[in-house]
């Protein structure tokens, strides 16, 4: 996991759990060391899901290395070099480790044409109000998704929830309507695949760090239902609804499936 924002913050660690499962199925897990390195100080940003993923990693004997930012890869020598971040006694040091198989999520950045434009903030993302999605300087500009400055995880789930707010507020401005602006609350989701038929379905506000789970059960637990939903249902929702502008996220479903936010 790099030190930059990435598309789907949970993606870098999924391979560790899938590889572990495959090695066990092949009967060679005792011959393999599985290590996960992240530049961040936690395995996942939200404590509830961080606790769950730490437990999963521990149960699978997967070593979690925090504050390790990948800075170089020597392919021929099969060595990866990490810079240690944070404020600990080894901060600033470099450590080189050997590998046989390396799965890397590369550092990511905004598009240069946005970063160089008047639309961008200092980080290079389109500078919008985090609630209304309207540009901080240009009132006729709105943005959502990966290019925006919204301080939440950059996922399709986030973009879907943002689309409802953007559509409402943009159309209201075009029509000269005085209806109150809708506000985006930072909702995002990250399906953390932990095996062929199970996953942890993290749903939360990137603004507050508060879980916003759609279903009545504890989604920090590994579930086959969560896997089925992600593998079989959500792709159909994406192609048949989200891309047509008719999917605004699961907020309406949440009112029925988890009305009291019991978990």
């Amino acid at each position: 996991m790099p030190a930059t924002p990435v598309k789907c913050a949970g993606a870098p660690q999924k391979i560790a759990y899938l590889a572990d499962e495959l090695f066990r199925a092949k009967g060679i897990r005792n011959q393999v060391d599985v290590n996960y390195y992240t530049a961040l100080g936690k395995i996942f940003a939200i404590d509830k899901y961080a606790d769950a993923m730490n437990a999963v990693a521990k149960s699978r004997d997967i070593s979690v290395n925090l504050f390790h930012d990948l800075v170089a890869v020597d392919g021929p020598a099969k060595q990866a070099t990490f810079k240690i971040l944070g404020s600990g006694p080894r901060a600033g040091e470099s450590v080189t480790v050997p590998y046989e198989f390396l799965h890397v999520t590369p550092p990511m950045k905004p598009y240069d044409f946005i970063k160089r434009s008047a639309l961008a903030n200092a980080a290079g993302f389109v500078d919008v109000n985090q609630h209304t999605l309207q540009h901080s300087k240009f009132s006729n500009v709105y943005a959502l998704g990966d290019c925006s400055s919204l301080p939440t995880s950059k996922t399709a789930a986030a973009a879907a929830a943002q689309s409802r707010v953007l559509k409402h507020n943009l159309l209201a401005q075009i029509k000269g309507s005085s209806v109150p602006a809708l506000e985006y609350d930072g909702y995002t989701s990250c399906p953390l695949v932990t095996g062929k038929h199970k996953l942890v379905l993290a749903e939360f506000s990137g603004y507050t760090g508060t879980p916003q789970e759609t279903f009545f059960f504890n989604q920090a637990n590994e579930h086959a239902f969560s896997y089925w939903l992600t593998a079989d249902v959500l792709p159909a929702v994406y192609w048949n609804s989200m891309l047509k502008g008719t999917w605004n996220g699961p907020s309406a479903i949440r009112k029925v499936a988890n009305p009291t936010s019991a978990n």
Side-chain angles (χ1 to χ4, degrees), residues 27-72:
I28 59 172
R29 181 61 178 89
N30 62 341
Q31 304 173 40
V32 181
D33 291 325
V34 180
N35 296 278
Y36 173 61
Y37 291 86
T38 174
L40 306 182
K42 297 195 297 185
I43 193 171
F44 199 80
I46 308 305
D47 288 340
K48 176 177 181 176
Y49 305 113
D51 292 343
M53 302 320 296
N54 279 324
V56 170
K58 184 177 181 179
S59 70
R60 312 275 177 87
D61 195 26
I62 296 172
S63 175
V64 177
N65 302 272
L66 307 178
F67 290 121
H68 281 65
D69 188 25
L70 181 65
V71 294

Side-chain angles (χ1 to χ4, degrees), residues 74 124 162 197 207 249:
D74 185 338
Q162 293 158 16
H197 300 291
Y207 294 171

Side-chain angles (χ1 to χ4, degrees), residues 81-263:
T81 300
F82 298 87
K83 180 180 179 180
I84 300 178
L85 306 180
S87 57
R90 298 185 62 197
E93 291 183 15
S94 293
V95 57
T96 299
V97 296
Y99 68 85
E100 291 182 88
F101 175 80
L102 181 67
H103 180 277
V104 176
T105 297
M108 301 180 191
K109 64 182 183 67
Y111 284 112
D112 287 339
F113 76 89
I114 293 178
K115 189 174 183 178
R116 292 193 296 260
S117 76
L119 298 175
N121 62 9
F125 296 98
V126 180
D127 190 11
V128 294
N129 180 286
Q130 70 178 48
H131 298 295
T132 66
L133 280 61
Q134 186 177 34
H135 198 275
S136 60
K137 296 179 182 178
F138 306 106
S139 62
N140 62 334
V141 173
Y142 292 77
L144 54 68
D146 295 350
C147 73
S148 74
S149 63
L150 301 174
T152 191
S153 296
K154 297 182 181 299
T155 66
Q162 293 158 16
S163 69
R164 172 174 173 267
V165 175
L166 190 151
K167 285 184 292 186
H168 177 276
N169 293 346
L170 177 58
L171 289 175
Q173 182 179 4
I174 291 173
K175 296 175 181 178
S177 173
S178 60
V179 296
L182 289 183
E183 293 194 348
Y184 172 59
D185 62 2
Y187 170 82
T188 189
S189 178
C190 183
L192 293 151
V193 180
T194 56
K196 288 183 179 178
H197 300 291
K198 55 187 176 181
L199 60 77
V200 169
L201 184 56
E203 290 185 287
F204 56 94
S205 167
Y207 294 171
T208 65
T210 304
Q212 293 184 343
E213 297 183 349
T214 298
F215 301 101
F216 61 88
F217 60 86
N218 184 358
Q219 293 177 201
N221 294 331
E222 297 174 277
H223 277 279
F225 171 81
S226 298
Y227 182 91
W228 168 79
L229 182 74
T230 302
D232 296 328
V233 177
L234 291 184
V237 171
Y238 177 83
W239 291 109
N240 299 314
S241 185
M242 182 174 173
L243 293 185
K244 297 178 180 178
T246 58
W247 173 248
N248 298 317
S251 58
I253 299 173
R254 188 179 304 117
K255 293 177 181 179
V256 176
N258 191 17
T260 62
S261 297
N263 48 336

